[in-house]
Amino acid sequence: MKKIFILFFIIFSLDISSQECSEFFLVRHAEKDRSKAENNNPKLNQKGKERSLKWAEVFKNIELDKIYSTNYYRTIETVTPISKKLNLDITLYSPSKINYKNFISKNIGNKVLVVGHSNTIPAFVNGLINEKVYDQINDLNNSNLYIVTICNGVVKHNLLYIE
């Protein structure tokens, strides 16, 4: 019986240590300046700057390995406080050019933050989980936090609302 327990413990320990888990955190950029409707690349408004600091608080105890942002003022400004607090560079990406399988394989074992837009973040989450679950975010919603965990091919996902 003792040998079976030891064998079970060794096998279980090997299984846990061999797990390749990745965590993806996805948010839409904080509130943007809407004073000039024709501006396709606005910066954050005051409320957005405050929210970007709140996001930094949310992520302060998560040991992120990578941060991805689209190349727009509002996304970069949203993630900059997190980048500075964690001393991580921001990697730019284009939502239309993401190959989700490659993105996942490139980030095995990492904790990754992805910042995008109301029309790209839900699609990004759906691409990671390989299932259409999440719809486009309302243009006034800047509070969603999507969390996707992939461990040895097992995918779990959650949506939190952080006001």
Side-chain angles (χ1 to χ4, degrees):
M1 180 71 165
K2 187 176 180 182
K3 289 180 183 179
I4 292 173
F5 177 75
I6 292 171
L7 182 61
F8 177 77
F9 180 76
I10 291 170
I11 291 170
F12 183 73
S13 297
L14 289 174
D15 185 47
I16 290 173
S17 64
S18 67
Q19 285 187 353
E20 293 291 344
C21 296
S22 306
E23 289 182 89
F24 300 94
F25 304 90
L26 301 98
V27 299
R28 178 191 181 205
H29 61 78
E31 289 84 349
K32 64 185 175 182
D33 179 358
R34 296 175 183 270
S35 63
K36 296 178 184 169
E38 71 281 356
N39 185 355
N40 292 330
N41 193 11
K43 294 187 175 194
L44 296 181
N45 63 22
Q46 187 56 41
K47 187 173 181 181
K49 291 174 185 176
E50 291 168 9
R51 184 178 302 277
S52 71
L53 296 175
K54 285 182 187 178
W55 282 126
E57 280 298 305
V58 169
F59 287 100
K60 75 179 180 183
N61 293 319
I62 298 174
E63 295 181 25
L64 294 172
D65 296 295
K66 295 181 183 176
I67 298 173
Y68 290 88
S69 173
T70 58
N71 193 15
Y72 290 88
Y73 291 129
R74 58 195 177 273
T75 52
I76 294 169
E77 288 179 347
T78 299
V79 79
T80 294
I82 300 166
S83 171
K84 286 183 178 179
K85 191 168 251 184
L86 300 177
N87 197 29
L88 283 175
D89 291 333
I90 300 168
T91 302
L92 300 178
Y93 77 97
S94 173
S96 63
K97 295 181 181 174
I98 290 290
N99 177 308
Y100 296 106
K101 286 184 181 183
N102 288 345
F103 187 83
I104 292 168
S105 67
K106 216 166 62 169
N107 288 294
I108 291 176
N110 289 326
K111 292 182 181 181
V112 177
L113 172 61
V114 179
V115 180
H117 307 270
S118 62
N119 63 340
T120 65
I121 286 298
F124 203 120
V125 176
N126 291 337
L128 291 175
I129 66 175
N130 198 27
E131 189 177 350
K132 183 161 179 8
V133 174
Y134 300 102
D135 294 323
Q136 185 170 321
I137 303 169
N138 179 295
D139 190 46
L140 297 175
N141 179 348
N142 303 90
S143 302
N144 286 2
L145 169 59
Y146 300 86
I147 303 171
V148 177
T149 305
I150 303 173
C151 283
N152 291 335
V154 177
V155 178
K156 296 180 182 178
H157 53 94
N158 291 295
L159 169 58
L160 302 175
Y161 188 82
I162 311 287
E163 187 53 47

